[in-house]
Amino acid sequence: MSKEQSRSRSRSLSRRAALLMGGTGGVALAGGGAWVGSTVAAQPAAAAAEAAIGGLTTPPAYAPSGRRPKYRRATWSQQFQTSHGWNAGGTGTASANANDTSVFVRGTQSVRVTTNGTGKQSYVRRTGMTAQNMTGKMIRLVFRVDDVANLSKLVFYMGSGSLANYFSWTFHAHSTTAANYVQSGEWVTVHLQWADVTSAAGTYSISAAGSPSTKTGFTDMSFAVYDNAGGPVTYRLQAVELVPDTATVFPKGVVSITFDDSHKSIHDLARPVMDSYGYSGTVYNIADAIGTGSFLTVGQMRSMQDFSGWEMAGHSYANATHTASYPKLTAEQADDDFRKLREWLVGNGFSSEHFAYPHGAFQKTSDGVPVDLIASRHFTTARSIISETIESFAPAMPYRLKALTGINDGSGIGGTALSKVTGAGGRLDRCVNSGDWLILCLHKVVEGTPATSTEIGKAGLTALMKAIDDRGIPVLTVEEAMASYT
């Protein structure tokens, strides 16, 4: 089926059915064109696609409107088709096929490499290309790791002089406990912006404010994979592309201030501080908690929405779901909670189509269905708490939005120290100097000194708002930010 046929057919199907028409057990994710699945060579029947996501057949009461980000067209693209000219190598490489036709998501092939299990660098690389100007550009990577069990980290290098000079982005460090942006057997899209650059070598440097010494003259690129020395890793590279970066939409970047868990202190302490700057936030709410104990009431939520422009989004319906997180549930249980949450929001006058995963967990359900795929049945975006790189316009994967969490002004309580956000060369400097979509995830606000990493003091929140205001960075809710690009 052609893309045009698929688009035409999707208009007459439910949103969920449309999601299921894209490849072997796959879903196309706007903004980056990533797919969950193995290939696009075969188009399965609807019944097979249903089975691939756990047989969820009950339609959502409120399906998302489809206001998703436009796909950003590449200004330069390497899709690893015949005669691409890139080479696989490195002391960590055991075997490679530069023209692998067994698994791909574009064209008829991709590059396949298997590491040797020594923890050393394996790469797909090309040097001596026509020089690229990266001003106003970001890098888009499309790749897949067959099994992440022995994955350690992923790094991208861009430079000149056969990489004697380079900038590098360490864009994924694999966790054995937390949710990972890169999961087994999935095609993943990653955007790398100048705000995310991690190191420089040779004649290149990064300023104290986080800005690169140059954005032009790049002739060399290298996609590098490191296993954990516990066994080999097979990875597949499908595309390295340059696309317009966030600065083309927001020259000074943009910040979204989000709060999880519906704490009453968001209304009592955070709202007055943010009102004084004219800022609105996004609250990801637990429906079951509303109106109980130290949590927001429906009246407070409506007041914040109607008179201060706040967005009331979703976090979970049941308290028990929030405590357990969706990967502990079956697909049917997760889908039911999503459905009830959206019904509750709409029924109480809250039209947000945006969601945040409890504990940032979007892995598979207990019966093996990707939680982010279930989320797409009910919401337009879903936010994680992954911050290896900061979010971009358009988001690479809208159901894995990245956010910086644990921001606090305490001492010795973990999380992210406020100074790492507001200090020289911190996240706000990088945002305003290089452009990105910096999503901040906060929880509870306290009058005094915070005791845990999920608390921020009122004084700390005030300092954070002032730091944003001093830099002239626009503050938008998640809904507003997405609308700016759709």
Side-chain angles (χ1 to χ4, degrees):
M1 180 183 296
S2 70
K3 290 182 179 178
E4 184 55 36
Q5 287 172 320
S6 178
R7 285 194 294 268
S8 176
R9 187 176 182 186
S10 71
R11 288 191 287 268
S12 63
L13 297 173
S14 70
R15 174 175 172 79
R16 179 171 173 280
L19 282 169
L20 294 170
M21 297 303 295
T24 306
V27 53
L29 298 179
W35 295 70
V36 179
S38 56
T39 78
V40 294
Q43 297 292 339
E50 291 285 350
I53 63 163
L56 299 174
T57 57
T58 303
Y62 297 98
S65 65
R67 293 192 297 268
R68 302 174 69 190
K70 298 176 183 177
Y71 184 83
R72 288 208 146 182
R73 301 297 174 186
T75 60
W76 176 89
S77 178
Q78 177 54 258
Q79 300 188 39
F80 298 101
Q81 301 305 296
T82 304
S83 304
H84 54 75
W86 290 53
N87 299 306
T91 55
T93 293
S95 65
N97 183 345
N99 300 283
D100 186 87
T101 59
S102 64
V103 180
F104 54 89
V105 76
R106 292 188 188 178
T108 59
Q109 65 177 49
S110 63
V111 178
R112 192 274 303 160
V113 184
T114 300
T115 69
N116 58 18
T118 62
K120 297 179 180 179
Q121 186 186 97
S122 171
Y123 61 72
V124 179
R125 173 182 299 179
R126 187 171 182 183
T127 61
M129 296 183 288
T130 301
Q132 295 287 345
N133 184 340
M134 284 290 295
T135 304
K137 301 288 194 303
M138 62 183 170
I139 302 159
R140 180 164 65 199
L141 306 174
V142 180
F143 62 93
R144 164 181 161 143
V145 178
D146 287 3
D147 188 341
V148 299
N150 293 311
L151 180 62
S152 176
K153 64 180 179 179
L154 303 171
V155 186
F156 190 81
Y157 299 87
M158 183 171 64
S160 61
S162 295
L163 290 172
N165 318 300
Y166 65 77
F167 291 112
S168 70
W169 289 258
T170 301
F171 62 92
H172 181 65
H174 206 73
S175 172
T176 58
T177 55
N180 285 288
Y181 194 83
V182 179
Q183 298 183 29
S184 295
E186 297 181 345
W187 288 104
V188 176
T189 300
V190 170
H191 288 167
L192 304 180
Q193 303 173 93
W194 283 115
D196 299 316
V197 65
T198 49
S199 65
T203 60
Y204 298 166
S205 61
I206 302 170
S207 74
S211 298
S213 56
T214 184
K215 294 183 179 180
T216 64
F218 302 112
T219 58
D220 311 331
M221 297 182 187
S222 182
F223 179 92
V225 176
Y226 298 78
D227 61 46
N228 63 7
V233 169
T234 295
Y235 62 97
R236 303 170 192 275
L237 185 57
Q238 184 64 81
V240 177
E241 300 179 312
L242 304 184
V243 296
D245 68 8
T246 299
T248 62
V249 181
F250 296 103
K252 291 187 174 182
V254 62
V255 172
S256 291
I257 303 162
T258 72
F259 294 84
D260 287 3
D261 300 347
S262 308
H263 293 289
K264 187 173 180 289
S265 63
I266 304 168
H267 174 274
D268 294 349
L269 300 178
R271 180 189 184 182
V273 170
M274 292 174 62
D275 275 349
S276 68
Y277 288 94
Y279 294 160
S280 303
T282 296
V283 183
Y284 291 106
N285 293 284
I286 307 169
D288 249 2
I290 301 304
T292 68
S294 60
F295 296 97
L296 293 168
T297 66
V298 169
Q300 289 170 335
M301 293 171 66
R302 288 177 181 161
S303 176
M304 294 171 74
Q305 173 185 268
D306 297 345
F307 299 107
S308 292
W310 284 60
E311 176 186 9
M312 294 296 144
H315 201 29
S316 74
Y317 177 79
N319 260 319
T321 298
H322 178 266
T323 300
S325 77
Y326 287 94
K328 300 290 179 64
L329 308 180
T330 66
E332 288 285 357
Q333 290 170 331
D335 190 63
D336 187 56
D337 191 85
F338 276 117
R339 181 181 296 104
K340 289 179 179 177
L341 173 60
R342 188 74 196 282
E343 288 176 351
W344 186 91
L345 288 169
V346 173
N348 282 282
F350 307 119
S351 59
S352 172
E353 297 183 1
H354 304 283
F355 173 83
Y357 302 104
H359 314 295
F362 54 83
Q363 305 96 307
K364 293 180 179 179
T365 60
S366 61
D367 51 350
V369 182
V371 171
D372 53 345
L373 183 55
I374 301 174
S376 72
R377 286 166 45 83
H378 305 274
F379 291 91
T380 296
T381 70
R383 200 215 68 211
S384 73
I385 51 173
I386 292 171
S387 58
E388 296 162 320
T389 57
I390 298 303
E391 201 45 81
S392 62
F393 280 98
M397 298 182 75
Y399 293 98
R400 297 184 188 182
L401 291 183
K402 298 181 176 183
L404 186 64
T405 191
I407 304 160
N408 68 86
D409 51 337
S411 178
I413 58 175
T416 302
L418 183 60
S419 60
K420 291 187 178 295
V421 182
T422 61
R427 281 300 177 185
L428 291 180
D429 275 354
R430 289 197 169 214
C431 182
V432 74
N433 291 331
S434 300
D436 61 29
W437 180 18
L438 179 59
I439 304 176
L440 303 178
C441 172
L442 307 172
H443 292 79
K444 188 176 184 180
V445 186
V446 296
E447 286 277 11
T449 303
T452 73
S453 62
T454 57
E455 296 178 347
I456 187 170
K458 183 179 178 181
L461 182 67
T462 303
L464 176 59
M465 298 304 106
K466 183 178 186 304
I468 295 171
D469 183 66
D470 286 346
R471 290 165 173 82
I473 305 172
V475 173
L476 300 179
T477 65
V478 172
E479 185 174 48
E480 290 171 333
M482 292 295 291
S484 295
Y485 196 69
T486 57

